[in-house]
Amino acid sequence: MVFLRKLPWNLITTWSRQSFFASRTIHTDFVYYKRRKTAEERKAARIIEYSPKKKNKIELSGTVDVWRNMTVEELAKSAQKSLDHIQEVMLYVPGAEDIDSEARLHDMKVVKEIVAKCGMKMKIIAPPESADIVVKDKDVFPRPPADPADMETRFPIVTVMGHVDHGKTTLLDTLRGASVAAGEAGGITQHIGAFTVELESGEKVTFLDTPGHAAFSAMRARGANCTDIVVLVVAADDGVMEQTKEVVKLVNEAGVAVIIAINKIDKPEADIERAKRDLMQLGLALEGSGGDIQVVPISALKGTNLTELTETISAQATLMGLKADFKGFVEGIVIESKIDKYRGKLSTTIVTRGTLRKGAILVSGTAFAKVRGLFDHTGQPMEKAVPGTPVEILGWRELPLAGEEVLEVENEQKAGSVVRFRKAQQMDQKIESDRDAILQKEMEHLEKYRAERDARRKQGFYRSRQKGPRQKEIPADDGFPCVNMILKGDVHGSMEAILNVLDTYDDFENCRLNIVHYGVGNVSEGDVELSQTFNAIIYAFSVDSTVALKAKAKVRNFNVIYHLINDLKDEISSKLPPVQVEEVTGEANILQIFEITEGKKEVTVLGCRCTKGILKKNHQYKIMRQEEVIYTGSLDSMRHLKNEVDTIKNDTECGLKPRDLNCEVKPGDVIYCFTVKDKDQSTSWDPGF
């Protein structure tokens, strides 16, 4: 056998190989040749049987929903256990010493141990959205009222209100020794002005000058809601006007003190008593007539009785006992916001609590700022702003909206978190408000898709293929009159006022009005590109636009809102197609009806007398009977006596033969001669002023 193994395999004969394997099979005990193992056998030999030791584990049953920073009471409700049971379990859990029901569990390992000792498993979920604590943690709110012992006296905030051109801004000019009305477009205040005035007595008063005309009602409302005293200016020669009534309504709703200043008493037509009677008819209880509202007759132009007015304001503020907390985080109200081409985004804010300094982190709506500069109404830098002070704030990342609260937070991380949370809330509210419209659009889309799909299935594959060029994604102009506009303004309040006026547009049946874009700031290259894309007009309100930009696009600059709206109305009217109108040139009375024969045909001839204007043969005619038109058409013949003529003058008799007369005409009917002309249309939009 050893000898055979040493021989080459190909030398072994078939018989010897058969004999070798046969003998090996029979004598397996004597053969020391070892067969090789297969791959499966070698793999099986390497597998080691391992069974871990069994431990005594607690069998957990049930699942508890938990979330971060949940209270002990919320854990008990989620686990469906009593509060006493959870508090008793917490006594045996390290790190869970605070077992108060309102205590918050910040460590999830501690929560897991508590749940495990209750014999359950935990599942981490998001905090319930309806929990008020989640909103309080992510948002920021004004602080609770301060302790009266920590409050100090502050100077009052006075708002000057009234009708347009009753002398509000002139009054403030005289008080602070400056000329503001001359700088306003058209002598009309276009936005809220806020500034501090030091009176002769040494006391300081913050004055707000609000616009008086109808377009700025929202801005006047903000002035009433952030003021302590309202000085209502009424002209002695005009008396109570429309905006005066609106101010009285705002004052009553806001519940602020009122002082009446009857202005222009130096005019010959001034009637102070009539102005008082008109004010009492609005429900104002004036002093001297059984009420406590003080009335001061003044002349803002000549400075008459202004000292008496300031003393009245000071006395009213003293009686009110105005105080504020000068410490802690800052709170305030945005009066106005704008974009300065040199300094960037600015907001005029009145501080109502705390002391504002550079470096403070502020949040207003969905905008936040790290204060880089404070300025007064003259543009001079300020070190700090105490309660009652109007201040221009530099450093906003986004432009805050006028009327929004301003709140100070700890750091920029907190400010960013608050802004993101508020934006998410606004998006959720928008989605909720637009839900019905979205569902309606989805249903329309599905119906259209299913109809097109069924049509394609019926036509087959080859017939449903696109024939001809592909349709454009944006359909071509349908030819309906349309005005596209881009609006840019100097401050947010002016923009808000203009947009409120545009909301009153109601002539959509004749012309569409599309606002492509609006914003605060100067006209930019992006605005020009948008205007070229949408063929829009750029309306720039009190902002700059370079000559190069004006050459590229239709840019129209305005400083007075009336002029802007009037130009827009003219633009809308120019888009309307002309209408055909009838211009009557003559009128005649039908005196007698004649039936004559021409050839073999009987025709009707009307014997008439021209009573107004002239009658022309080539014009159109209509016959009316008691304001009802019974015939409209042209003439075949016009004769005076027996002569064919082209014109019949006033107080002349004639014979008229209408063409295709298909009605019965009677003596006494009136016939009118008229022409049809094209006349330009005017929009029916009435903005309210």
Side-chain angles (χ1 to χ4, degrees):
M1 188 64 76
V2 176
F3 172 74
L4 290 175
R5 289 183 61 192
K6 291 181 179 180
L7 291 176
W9 186 257
N10 56 358
L11 297 179
I12 302 176
T13 60
T14 304
W15 175 82
S16 61
R17 287 199 301 269
Q18 292 176 353
S19 302
F20 168 72
F21 287 112
S23 61
R24 184 175 178 275
T25 304
I26 298 172
H27 306 287
T28 53
D29 295 336
F30 304 101
V31 178
Y32 64 87
Y33 175 75
K34 189 174 182 181
R35 182 174 62 88
R36 293 183 179 181
K37 294 182 179 181
T38 63
E40 290 77 6
E41 292 173 341
R42 291 195 301 272
K43 183 176 180 181
R46 288 196 299 268
I47 297 176
I48 302 174
E49 294 290 339
Y50 174 76
S51 57
K53 295 181 180 179
K54 293 184 179 181
K55 295 182 180 180
N56 296 327
K57 296 181 67 176
I58 301 175
E59 293 293 334
L60 302 179
S61 61
T63 303
V64 180
D65 292 336
V66 299
W67 55 89
R68 299 186 185 278
N69 300 327
M70 68 187 307
T71 62
V72 177
E73 185 177 4
E74 290 173 344
L75 178 60
K77 291 181 180 179
S78 181
Q80 297 182 357
K81 302 286 185 180
S82 64
L83 181 60
D84 295 337
H85 178 84
I86 297 297
Q87 290 175 334
E88 184 177 357
V89 171
M90 292 175 65
L91 295 174
Y92 300 94
V93 177
E97 295 82 6
D98 194 355
I99 61 175
D100 186 68
S101 61
E102 297 296 328
R104 297 199 169 276
L105 303 172
H106 303 285
D107 193 349
M108 296 304 294
K109 294 182 180 179
V110 174
V111 177
K112 182 178 181 181
E113 188 69 21
I114 296 173
V115 173
K117 287 189 177 296
C118 292
M120 292 179 286
K121 296 181 291 184
M122 77 171 189
K123 177 183 178 183
I124 301 177
I125 63 172
E129 295 181 358
S130 60
D132 295 337
I133 192 63
V134 176
V135 177
K136 292 180 181 179
D137 288 343
K138 293 185 178 181
D139 206 347
V140 61
F141 300 94
R143 291 179 290 158
D147 188 354
D150 298 333
M151 302 179 73
E152 304 176 27
T153 303
R154 64 170 177 86
F155 39 85
I157 302 173
V158 179
T159 300
V160 181
M161 290 184 167
H163 191 71
V164 61
D165 199 29
H166 275 201
K168 303 181 301 300
T169 307
T170 306
L171 170 62
L172 294 171
D173 293 346
T174 307
L175 288 173
R176 65 176 176 173
S179 180
V180 175
E184 292 285 357
I188 302 173
T189 303
Q190 299 294 320
H191 46 74
I192 294 179
F195 50 86
T196 303
V197 174
E198 186 172 355
L199 305 179
E200 295 180 358
S201 60
E203 300 179 0
K204 291 184 177 181
V205 178
T206 295
F207 282 99
L208 300 182
D209 178 21
T210 62
H213 48 81
F216 295 89
S217 59
M219 298 170 66
R220 278 199 305 276
R222 285 199 299 275
N225 291 337
C226 62
T227 189
D228 303 312
I229 303 172
V230 169
V231 174
L232 176 56
V233 179
V234 181
D237 56 342
D238 284 345
V240 172
M241 301 297 286
E242 198 61 38
Q243 273 70 54
T244 310
K245 299 177 182 178
E246 182 184 345
V247 171
V248 172
K249 181 180 178 181
L250 291 173
V251 166
N252 292 333
E253 293 176 354
V256 296
V258 186
I259 297 175
I260 306 297
I262 299 180
N263 193 21
K264 302 183 181 182
I265 61 174
D266 55 317
K267 284 193 171 185
E269 59 271 21
D271 190 347
I272 300 176
E273 295 301 323
R274 186 195 66 177
K276 288 183 178 181
R277 289 194 299 270
D278 293 344
L279 289 169
M280 286 188 291
Q281 289 178 359
L282 297 179
L284 297 177
L286 304 183
E287 192 177 36
S289 301
D292 56 354
I293 298 177
Q294 301 182 67
V295 181
V296 182
I298 65 170
S299 173
L301 186 62
K302 296 184 178 181
T304 307
N305 294 338
L306 291 190
T307 303
E308 182 182 351
L309 178 62
T310 55
E311 291 176 354
T312 303
I313 294 173
S314 178
Q316 182 67 40
T318 303
L319 291 175
M320 296 173 67
L322 302 174
K323 293 185 177 182
D325 183 9
F326 282 61
K327 301 177 183 179
F329 283 165
V330 174
E331 298 177 11
I333 298 176
V334 177
I335 297 299
E336 197 55 271
S337 58
K338 64 180 180 179
I339 297 178
D340 190 278
K341 62 181 179 180
Y342 299 110
R343 295 183 293 173
K345 299 178 177 67
L346 296 172
S347 71
T348 300
T349 303
I350 289 187
V351 180
T352 58
R353 188 173 183 179
T355 302
L356 180 60
R357 294 182 174 86
K358 289 183 181 180
I361 308 299
L362 304 178
V363 175
S364 176
T366 57
F368 76 94
K370 183 177 182 181
V371 180
R372 294 191 285 116
L374 301 174
F375 306 92
D376 62 9
H377 66 278
T378 62
Q380 299 299 318
M382 300 174 61
E383 293 293 330
K384 62 180 181 179
V386 297
T389 306
V391 58
E392 267 194 341
I393 299 175
L394 174 64
W396 292 98
R397 305 289 179 87
E398 298 291 337
L399 201 64
L401 301 180
E404 291 281 358
E405 279 187 322
V406 176
L407 301 173
E408 185 181 0
V409 295
E410 300 87 351
N411 48 50
E412 292 189 46
Q413 289 77 12
K414 177 66 175 178
S417 175
V418 170
V419 169
R420 288 191 296 271
F421 176 73
R422 290 181 176 181
K423 287 182 178 179
Q425 278 192 323
Q426 288 182 357
M427 185 61 68
D428 293 341
Q429 293 175 0
K430 187 176 186 308
I431 292 174
E432 187 65 27
S433 62
D434 296 344
R435 185 181 300 277
D436 295 338
I438 292 173
L439 292 177
Q440 181 68 22
K441 288 289 185 182
E442 288 182 352
M443 293 298 297
E444 293 177 358
H445 174 73
L446 285 176
E447 291 178 0
K448 182 179 178 182
Y449 166 74
R450 288 168 180 165
E452 293 177 352
R453 182 193 60 186
D454 295 341
R456 287 196 303 269
R457 287 178 177 175
K458 292 179 180 179
Q459 292 177 356
F461 176 75
Y462 292 101
R463 292 184 180 180
S464 63
R465 288 187 299 179
Q466 179 69 33
K467 295 182 180 179
R470 182 178 177 180
Q471 295 182 355
K472 295 181 179 180
E473 294 290 337
I474 301 177
D477 187 9
D478 56 1
F480 194 83
C482 177
V483 174
N484 298 329
M485 63 178 296
I486 296 174
L487 184 62
K488 299 300 291 287
D490 56 343
V491 295
H492 176 263
S494 300
M495 292 294 303
E496 183 183 34
I498 296 173
L499 292 174
N500 287 340
V501 175
L502 296 179
D503 285 340
T504 64
Y505 183 75
D506 54 0
D507 196 15
F508 289 101
E509 295 182 357
N510 297 321
C511 181
R512 289 193 293 259
L513 178 61
N514 297 329
I515 303 176
V516 178
H517 171 68
Y518 66 90
V520 177
N522 295 331
V523 179
S524 63
E525 288 284 353
D527 300 327
V528 173
E529 293 177 1
L530 271 178
S531 68
Q532 294 173 347
T533 303
F534 292 93
N535 191 23
I537 303 172
I538 300 177
Y539 283 97
F541 185 77
S542 299
V543 295
D544 297 331
S545 56
T546 63
V547 178
L549 294 179
K550 286 185 177 180
K552 294 180 181 179
K554 292 182 286 186
V555 181
R556 301 180 184 177
N557 294 85
F558 295 95
N559 293 324
V560 180
I561 188 173
Y562 300 132
H563 300 164
L564 187 149
I565 298 300
N566 289 335
D567 183 87
L568 180 58
K569 290 176 63 177
D570 294 340
E571 185 66 29
I572 294 173
S573 299
S574 66
K575 296 288 184 179
L576 301 179
V579 293
Q580 291 186 338
V581 295
E582 296 180 357
E583 183 179 352
V584 177
T585 60
E587 179 181 338
N589 290 333
I590 300 176
L591 304 178
Q592 193 172 356
I593 311 298
F594 300 97
E595 298 290 342
I596 63 175
T597 303
E598 287 186 353
K600 297 182 179 180
K601 185 178 180 182
E602 288 189 358
V603 294
T604 302
V605 176
L606 308 178
C608 307
R609 179 187 294 274
C610 182
T611 58
K612 186 183 297 183
I614 59 175
L615 307 179
K616 290 190 175 183
K617 182 179 178 181
N618 57 352
H619 285 185
Q620 295 291 314
Y621 288 83
K622 61 181 178 181
I623 301 174
M624 297 189 65
R625 180 183 300 158
Q626 297 179 354
E627 298 183 356
E628 180 184 357
V629 179
I630 61 175
Y631 169 79
T632 301
S634 57
L635 298 181
D636 279 337
S637 177
M638 174 185 287
R639 292 188 180 186
H640 176 58
L641 300 177
K642 295 183 178 181
N643 302 322
E644 187 75 21
V645 295
D646 294 330
T647 303
I648 298 295
K649 296 182 180 181
N650 186 19
D651 201 21
T652 303
E653 294 185 353
C654 62
L656 304 179
K657 186 177 73 171
R659 181 179 301 168
D660 300 329
L661 184 63
N662 54 3
C663 63
E664 182 182 358
V665 183
K666 298 179 180 179
D669 294 343
V670 181
I671 185 168
Y672 293 90
C673 174
F674 66 93
T675 58
V676 178
K677 293 185 177 180
D678 291 338
K679 182 181 179 181
D680 294 335
Q681 287 194 74
S682 297
T683 177
S684 60
W685 175 32
D686 182 13
F689 52 79

